[in-house]
Amino acid sequence: MAEKAAVSRDVFDRVILPFFAPAQFIPVKGKGSRVWDQQGTEYVDFAGGIAVTALGHCHPALVKALHEQGETLWHVSNVFTNEPALRLAQKLIDATFADRVFFANSGAEANEAAFKLARYYASHRHSPYKSKIIAFHNGFHGRTLFTVSVGGQPKYSDGFGPKPADIIHVPFNDLEAVKAVIDDHTCAIVVEPVQGEGGVTPATQEFLQGLRDLCDQHQALLVFDEVQTGMGRSGKLFSYMHYGVTPDILTTAKALGGGFPVSAMLATEDVAAVMEPGKHGTTYGGNPLACAVAEAALDIINTPEVLAGISERREKFIQGLDAINQKHGVFKAFRGQGLLIGAELSDAYQNRAGDFHKAAAEFGLMILVAGPNVIRLAPSLVIEFADISEGMNRFEKAIGKVLGA
């Protein structure tokens, strides 16, 4: 076997398209909520691969599932079905409102399928002119041209030519704004129960219930993007379960595979029934490798022990952040759901999230941002309490450096 070529961070700048600006260190190994880089430096992981590694790094059950499936069957395409996909679909249906499942590979692909299904359903059942999609400022739904256009952040969608038509954005959590634009030409309202990239902002109960009522009044579909909030992240298997508001279509990805790329669109029988072979598709979606790993992840996450532990861990994180804030006064609000936590910077530190993010890495802590003013934490759902304490100690040191303390 040929020896692997040595790589360093400067290789990125030469060979990778500059869509990203990754950290200067390269992680090479992970176990639980600890990560090590090329130099052997250890990091506590509060980022979770952006809410992906829900069971930490290299969880034994996921490694076992990947290994066993890897020696059995990798890929057959959607000319055939496979047992892992069927088992995973049935378990998702049993655990949710849904009757049908479509598997893809990323959150964007799941959302692309959801938006196409919503428009096709409206055209098929009602009118070809019923195509308006209502979405929200600061929403994020992926990077394909359709999904980035539905997302409410022009900085991500501008500059790529004409955008798909009939998409309207209004303020999040503003039901009156939705009422002002919804009509009988509306096919769907698309919403994140908690806006992730947009600042870790939860929807209010009144807002989501109001959206459900408006959709029912106008024969529109309610689409929940739970790419980031799904699979236990909120403290329940899916965030909609906190609100008691049931969507017609739901998308999930990120934590679904615990680190293996896989996503799903869930739908009711009524909505799914309009589709037929050939209307949409994917080569890799629902492949045996991804579905075997996702089934193992679901079997662990969807248990009373893990779900109950999420609220306990959230409390520990909030206590740690509050203790830091008592000393340094850097935050003005903590928000989010479960282990999707947003710490909004106080007025004195506006636009400094990137500074705190960089300093955290210097002290051996991996965190995230959600815009220039919010620190975002999305750790493993089973992170050890000792790791939370150690990570908070490192975070306080990082904050002290930024503040010059």
Side-chain angles (χ1 to χ4, degrees):
M1 186 174 178
E3 187 175 334
K4 293 180 180 178
V7 291
S8 56
R9 174 59 178 78
D10 65 307
V11 175
F12 178 94
D13 298 325
R14 295 200 310 270
V15 303
I16 305 294
L17 263 73
F19 293 146
F20 307 105
Q24 290 302 308
F25 67 92
I26 300 180
V28 295
K29 179 185 175 184
K31 189 68 177 174
S33 290
R34 304 280 175 135
V35 172
W36 292 265
D37 68 13
Q38 289 174 312
Q39 286 69 45
T41 303
E42 180 205 77
Y43 300 81
V44 176
D45 186 2
F46 282 2
I50 315 184
V52 169
T53 50
L55 296 173
H57 297 273
C58 300
H59 189 284
L62 273 59
V63 172
K64 181 173 182 285
L66 181 61
H67 183 209
E68 290 179 353
Q69 191 61 46
E71 291 187 330
T72 309
L73 186 68
W74 285 31
H75 174 80
V76 290
S77 86
N78 287 291
V79 174
F80 312 93
T81 190
N82 65 82
E83 291 181 346
L86 298 177
R87 285 196 301 265
L88 177 60
Q90 188 62 62
K91 288 180 177 181
L92 286 169
I93 288 168
D94 291 344
T96 66
F97 71 93
D99 304 302
R100 299 278 183 161
V101 178
F102 167 77
F103 291 119
N105 311 287
S106 67
E109 287 178 74
N111 281 333
E112 182 86 12
F115 304 160
K116 286 178 70 176
L117 175 57
R119 280 204 169 157
Y120 191 78
Y121 176 87
S123 176
H124 193 77
R125 289 286 176 87
H126 300 291
S127 161
Y129 304 106
K130 190 176 176 66
S131 58
K132 182 193 292 184
I133 293 174
I134 298 173
F136 299 94
H137 297 316
N138 296 318
F140 185 86
H141 303 292
R143 299 283 195 164
T144 68
L145 190 58
F146 195 178
T147 59
V148 82
S149 299
V150 175
Q153 301 187 57
K155 65 182 178 181
Y156 295 140
S157 58
D158 287 351
F160 298 100
K163 300 172 186 177
D166 237 2
I167 300 167
I168 294 179
H169 297 96
V170 295
F172 185 65
N173 272 332
D174 187 340
L175 198 58
E176 293 305 311
V178 181
K179 290 178 181 177
V181 297
I182 194 169
D183 56 26
D184 290 338
H185 294 296
T186 302
C187 74
I189 297 177
V190 177
V191 64
E192 300 162 89
V194 180
Q195 285 194 332
E197 305 297 323
V200 196
T201 307
T204 65
Q205 176 70 38
E206 296 74 20
F207 181 63
L208 289 191
Q209 185 60 58
L211 295 184
R212 176 71 273 175
D213 294 342
L214 287 171
C215 283
D216 292 342
Q217 292 167 25
H218 293 275
Q219 294 183 302
L221 299 181
L222 181 59
V223 180
F224 276 8
D225 176 341
E226 293 222 33
V227 167
Q228 191 160 169
T229 58
M231 293 301 293
R233 178 63 50 187
S234 69
K236 293 184 182 290
L237 187 61
F238 290 101
S239 184
Y240 81 86
M241 297 171 175
H242 291 279
Y243 294 94
V245 175
T246 304
D248 302 291
I249 301 173
L250 180 146
T251 58
T252 190
K254 290 191 179 290
L256 179 60
F260 199 102
V262 60
S263 64
M265 174 185 70
L266 284 58
T268 63
E269 180 66 39
D270 174 61
V271 174
V274 301
M275 275 297 171
E276 58 192 57
K279 287 297 180 185
H280 189 62
T282 164
T283 297
Y284 293 111
N287 73 81
L289 270 178
C291 291
V293 176
E295 182 187 6
L298 177 60
D299 285 345
I300 296 170
I301 292 170
N302 194 27
T303 58
E305 303 79 48
V306 170
L307 293 175
I310 292 167
S311 59
E312 297 173 19
R313 285 164 174 79
R314 177 184 175 84
E315 187 175 334
K316 180 81 170 174
F317 270 99
I318 297 300
Q319 288 173 353
L321 289 169
D322 193 53
I324 290 172
N325 210 34
Q326 295 295 323
K327 295 181 183 178
H328 299 288
V330 290
F331 306 118
K332 67 178 178 181
F334 305 126
R335 55 180 185 248
Q337 241 179 20
L339 286 174
L340 181 58
I341 300 167
E344 184 178 4
L345 296 175
S346 59
D347 292 344
Y349 301 102
Q350 291 293 287
N351 300 311
R352 299 287 302 276
D355 295 337
F356 291 110
H357 178 264
K358 182 179 179 182
E362 294 174 13
F363 285 88
L365 178 66
M366 299 164 72
I367 61 173
L368 303 165
V369 300
N373 299 312
V374 178
I375 301 297
R376 176 173 37 155
L377 308 180
S380 162
L381 306 182
V382 294
I383 184 173
E384 299 287 345
F385 287 96
D387 289 339
I388 301 175
S389 297
E390 177 59 26
M392 284 296 167
N393 289 337
R394 298 181 186 192
F395 194 29
E396 182 171 0
K397 291 175 183 176
I399 288 172
K401 178 179 180 181
V402 174
L403 272 52

